[in-house]
Amino acid sequence: MNCSRSLLVSTCLFFLFALFPLTLSAETDCDQGNGRLNSAQPKAIAPDEIIRKFAEKEAVFKDARNHYTYTQEVIVQEMDGNTVDGEFHETTDILYDDQGRRLEQVKYAPQSTLKRLGMTKEDYDDFRNRLPFVLTTQDLPQYNILYAGQQHVDELDTYVFDVAPKHVEKEGGKRYFQGRIWVDNHDFQIVKTCGRNVPDIHKKGSENLTPKFVTYREQVDGQYWFTTYTRADDILRFSSGDVHVRETLKYSKYQRFGAKTRIIYKGEALPGATPTPTPQ
């Protein structure tokens, strides 16, 4: 998101002082629903083997999601204290034509009332691709992945890893995830992520900042771990002033597109359902 260029710099500076008390309280909560973190090494499997397993399955499930239609709802709000001061709201159906090409059909999009923020190409790309973060075998060489421990998340027992890009290419628009992931200890699938998309863009006359977010996945059709809910509550620190933003994204109504198929992993159909983490 960028600070609206239609406003005078003095206006943005005014909000810096108006929102200053909120900078201590507006923070996306990564720990909601989590139990105590046990930093002990896993007994039955090495962390490197866990990473290998979930990265292989991430590639399989990333492909599986491309065979489902779903509804994507995005709400972005500017906050003044606890009052919504401006809002962007859009509901889109993700569909496919008879050639299997992805289509986006906007179903609900009232006029945006955002005053201090402008929606950017990077924001829409985040909604489609980066908030539903996946970490496949192909992606692993780009990241440092550090085992953090084991943790109970809602009804699931998980392995926890901290993830950061090895190198950030500031040219060319490439962006990365930096934060923490939770991997189900039964299915070896990422079930929760919390962090930021980096880098932010700071240029004279152009700033594009993104908030810290937490994303939950649930099982669809008893086996596919798909993103269903993302939230963010953060302060975007523009050079012209701070803006308190809240985001809510919901991905729902997943339905398989086309002929019924099974996802095969190493010669076997993937197993059935286990409990899913519930967004609070």
Side-chain angles (χ1 to χ4, degrees):
M1 297 174 188
N2 58 15
C3 190
S4 174
R5 305 309 297 171
S6 63
L7 299 178
L8 296 176
V9 172
S10 59
T11 304
C12 284
L13 286 172
F14 166 80
F15 286 108
L16 168 63
F17 296 100
L19 292 170
F20 181 76
L22 297 174
T23 59
L24 298 178
S25 60
E27 182 178 0
T28 301
D29 186 2
C30 293
D31 296 324
Q32 190 168 353
N34 294 354
R36 182 180 64 86
L37 179 65
N38 176 7
S39 59
Q41 293 289 310
K43 295 180 179 179
I45 187 171
D48 286 349
E49 180 67 8
I50 299 171
I51 294 170
R52 184 189 66 81
K53 282 178 173 288
F54 80 67
E56 287 179 348
K57 286 193 174 181
E58 282 286 274
V60 174
F61 282 91
K62 180 180 179 181
D63 180 69
R65 190 170 184 262
N66 292 331
H67 296 281
Y68 277 74
T69 62
Y70 58 95
T71 297
Q72 172 183 287
E73 182 182 15
V74 179
I75 301 175
V76 178
Q77 298 173 324
E78 296 169 340
M79 305 301 298
D80 182 3
N82 290 321
T83 302
V84 176
D85 196 38
E87 181 176 275
F88 168 87
H89 191 172
E90 182 177 273
T91 302
T92 305
D93 286 341
I94 309 302
L95 308 169
Y96 299 90
D97 65 15
D98 55 6
Q99 302 298 315
R101 292 172 296 200
R102 175 187 168 112
L103 302 173
E104 296 188 6
Q105 187 175 87
V106 177
K107 304 296 289 185
Y108 179 75
Q111 182 69 36
S112 172
T113 58
L114 296 176
K115 303 177 183 67
R116 290 159 275 159
L117 299 174
M119 304 302 294
T120 67
K121 174 182 177 297
E122 288 77 12
D123 293 325
Y124 285 102
D125 197 29
D126 282 350
F127 301 153
R128 297 184 185 102
N129 303 311
R130 293 193 178 87
L131 299 184
F133 174 69
V134 294
L135 184 58
T136 68
T137 304
Q138 185 177 1
D139 300 321
L140 289 182
Q142 302 176 49
Y143 287 93
N144 290 316
I145 305 173
L146 179 65
Y147 174 77
Q150 302 171 62
Q151 194 166 36
H152 192 73
V153 180
D154 295 316
E155 299 178 15
L156 298 174
D157 290 314
T158 69
Y159 299 113
V160 186
F161 293 87
D162 290 324
V163 178
K166 292 181 178 178
H167 305 285
V168 175
E169 299 175 9
K170 294 186 179 181
E171 301 297 330
K174 187 172 179 60
R175 300 174 73 221
Y176 309 83
F177 172 77
Q178 182 170 314
R180 175 163 284 189
I181 63 174
W182 288 259
V183 178
D184 174 66
N185 72 351
H186 178 266
D187 286 348
F188 294 99
Q189 273 289 289
I190 297 174
V191 295
K192 179 180 176 180
T193 60
C194 192
R196 299 181 184 275
N197 293 317
V198 296
D200 284 336
I201 300 172
H202 293 272
K203 295 181 179 179
K204 186 176 181 180
S206 176
E207 293 180 289
N208 199 333
L209 313 183
T210 56
K212 182 179 181 180
F213 66 90
V214 58
T215 293
Y216 295 86
R217 297 190 196 183
E218 296 181 33
Q219 281 192 327
V220 174
D221 286 349
Q223 54 189 337
Y224 308 128
W225 288 93
F226 291 159
T227 301
T228 55
Y229 184 80
T230 296
R231 69 169 181 265
D233 188 350
D234 205 356
I235 300 294
L236 301 182
R237 302 185 183 281
F238 295 98
S239 60
S240 55
D242 293 357
V243 179
H244 180 189
V245 61
R246 287 181 182 169
E247 292 185 5
T248 303
L249 289 89
K250 298 178 181 179
Y251 307 84
S252 62
K253 301 179 182 178
Y254 283 103
Q255 293 186 6
R256 193 191 307 271
F257 168 74
K260 185 174 182 179
T261 60
R262 293 186 302 166
I263 301 299
I264 304 299
Y265 174 66
K266 292 192 173 181
E268 297 181 2
L270 290 170
T274 59
T276 63
T278 304
Q280 304 297 314

